[in-house]
Amino acid sequence: MKSKREMPETLIIRPPSEYRSLLVRLTRGCKWNRCRFCGLYPHLGELTFSRRMVADVKHDIDLLRQRNLKSETAFFGDADPLQIGLTEFIEIARYLRSVIPVKRLTSYARASTLWKLKENGIRDLAGAGLDRVHIGLESGDAETLNYHRKGQSPKMVEEATEWLKEAGIEVSFYVLLGLGGRENWQKHIRETARLINKTKPEFVRIRRLWLYKSNSFISGPECPLYADIRAGTFTPQTPEGTVHELRLFIEMLDKYLATLVICDHSNNYVHVSGRIREDKNDMLSAIDDFLRLPEQEREQHYETVGSRI
Ligand code: SF4
């Protein structure tokens, strides 16, 4: 007879904002796994994608409950947990809510997967108790998204976000500075700001492109984008260019936007956070103060931040 595990499976990654959450693994790795800038799951040791059995996920939830953790929130991973199937996802969400009284249930989700569910599927997710989705928007520029094989279009993001909002599910987008390279950075940023102004998500979390090598401390395969860099088709943004991208992005956001923009990752060169309609000018001033520092001081700062997950 197969013995039951005594520890729940752990996620490969989770958003920093979910550090207090109960972490529940529905799928392993990323089914899509094609984005040029990513390859993160194979790099971190999850070479292939797989779906977990609903009974095993429920068993993990039972284990989390028995450990009597004080978390008031729960989070579903890995990259796109809806790949387990809508019915299965809903069954797991309902089960979790029935045995653990969490105040908030969130999940990673690909925009294209949500888009395929259409309005009814998204409404069903809300009915099962899903409160918020963390979506890798990365860019609002169709050209940049296509180049990086993200598998989503700005139009798809717009429609999926509208259905999420109608269903009452909060949207947390991740925006990736540097994704346009030095060739296309202005368009990447301008189109991303345009899409944020249009979709009005609750959160935008800023990240910087992380180019990891195969000889990093984890030693999985290197970031696929390195092949393009060697071929000369993609030129990485400079550190200072990344700060200018952040400035342009915030400058272009609508001053009435209620969105909370947060640099909640240690790989950001400048950390500014705030609600745009209240804090936009302060955020821009903080970036300008940094850019007025002596060049040597700025360069030293970039060295200390480095590149990391
Ligand atoms: S960015 Fe997301 S969808 Fe793309 S390969 Fe990475 S985990 Fe998968």
Side-chain angles (χ1 to χ4, degrees):
M1 199 177 96
K2 200 175 145 194
S3 63
K4 288 263 187 185
R5 280 173 305 99
E6 291 179 5
M7 293 288 287
E9 275 200 33
T10 50
L11 300 182
I12 299 270
I13 46 176
R14 53 136 182 90
S17 56
E18 302 289 343
Y19 75 102
R20 285 195 178 132
S21 297
L22 298 171
L23 304 176
V24 185
R25 195 178 206 195
L26 278 61
T27 52
R28 304 183 185 99
C30 174
K31 182 165 182 284
W32 178 253
N33 201 30
R34 283 181 232 172
C35 303
R36 281 180 202 266
F37 60 87
C38 182
L40 204 52
Y41 284 92
H43 181 69
L44 298 175
E46 200 65 55
L47 295 175
T48 54
F49 166 81
S50 61
R51 296 175 179 85
R52 297 191 63 212
M53 302 295 291
V54 172
D56 289 343
V57 181
K58 285 182 173 176
H59 176 63
D60 280 5
I61 293 170
D62 292 339
L63 291 172
L64 291 167
R65 179 171 56 105
Q66 284 158 20
R67 288 162 81 186
N68 199 20
L69 303 169
K70 297 282 179 249
S71 308
E72 295 187 329
T73 56
F75 173 74
F76 288 173
D78 281 342
D80 192 16
L82 279 160
Q83 290 298 340
I84 199 169
L86 179 61
T87 310
E88 290 79 358
F89 187 102
I90 286 173
E91 185 178 340
I92 293 166
R94 289 212 169 112
Y95 184 72
L96 182 133
R97 286 225 174 250
S98 70
V99 298
I100 307 179
V102 290
K103 290 186 178 157
R104 189 187 76 204
L105 173 60
T106 62
S107 178
Y108 272 143
R110 292 192 70 226
S112 54
T113 307
L114 290 164
W115 182 80
K116 283 179 199 151
L117 295 180
K118 306 296 177 201
E119 279 173 280
N120 288 346
I122 289 177
R123 211 176 296 128
D124 290 346
L125 291 177
L130 184 66
D131 297 304
R132 181 185 301 166
V133 281
H134 291 271
I135 300 173
L137 171 66
E138 330 297 2
S139 178
D141 176 34
E143 195 184 337
T144 302
L145 291 168
N146 278 340
Y147 177 79
H148 286 283
R149 301 189 296 243
K150 182 66 192 173
Q152 72 195 31
S153 67
K155 181 85 183 141
M156 208 181 256
V157 171
E158 269 179 52
E159 290 183 356
T161 309
E162 201 179 315
W163 299 329
L164 288 162
K165 284 178 160 276
E166 279 168 10
I169 298 177
E170 290 182 329
V171 175
S172 175
F173 279 146
Y174 291 81
V175 165
L176 207 43
L177 302 179
L179 204 60
R182 266 186 267 173
E183 294 87 355
N184 196 36
W185 74 270
Q186 293 233 10
K187 188 154 168 279
H188 160 50
I189 293 298
R190 287 180 192 282
E191 288 300 300
T192 304
R194 183 199 64 76
L195 193 58
I196 298 297
N197 287 336
K198 189 146 194 194
T199 53
K200 302 178 175 50
E202 279 75 13
F203 305 92
V204 169
R205 300 178 191 278
I206 306 289
R207 300 287 179 271
R208 179 169 64 82
L209 184 60
W210 183 52
L211 293 167
Y212 52 89
K213 293 235 161 114
S214 58
N215 62 358
S216 78
F217 70 103
I218 300 159
S219 76
E222 70 175 10
C223 178
L225 196 56
Y226 268 117
D228 300 62
I229 294 169
R230 281 187 213 106
T233 50
F234 184 91
T235 314
Q237 181 57 281
T238 61
E240 191 108 323
T242 309
V243 178
H244 283 289
E245 288 194 21
L246 178 63
R247 196 195 185 290
L248 179 63
F249 176 66
I250 291 170
E251 187 188 333
M252 297 218 48
L253 292 178
D254 188 329
K255 65 180 179 181
Y256 299 112
L257 207 61
T259 301
L260 197 57
V261 175
I262 315 164
C263 295
D264 61 344
H265 196 285
S266 57
N267 87 353
N268 284 297
Y269 288 123
V270 178
H271 290 257
V272 287
S273 296
R275 202 170 292 285
I276 291 303
R277 70 179 174 206
E278 287 146 23
D279 305 314
K280 176 172 173 166
N281 288 339
D282 289 346
M283 293 164 84
L284 289 172
S285 299
I287 299 170
D288 291 339
D289 287 348
F290 173 80
L291 288 169
R292 273 194 292 270
L293 291 173
E295 187 181 349
Q296 198 186 0
E297 216 172 302
R298 298 199 307 274
E299 291 300 329
Q300 276 170 359
H301 174 73
Y302 299 139
E303 288 291 321
T304 61
V305 174
S307 188
R308 60 181 77 104
I309 185 173

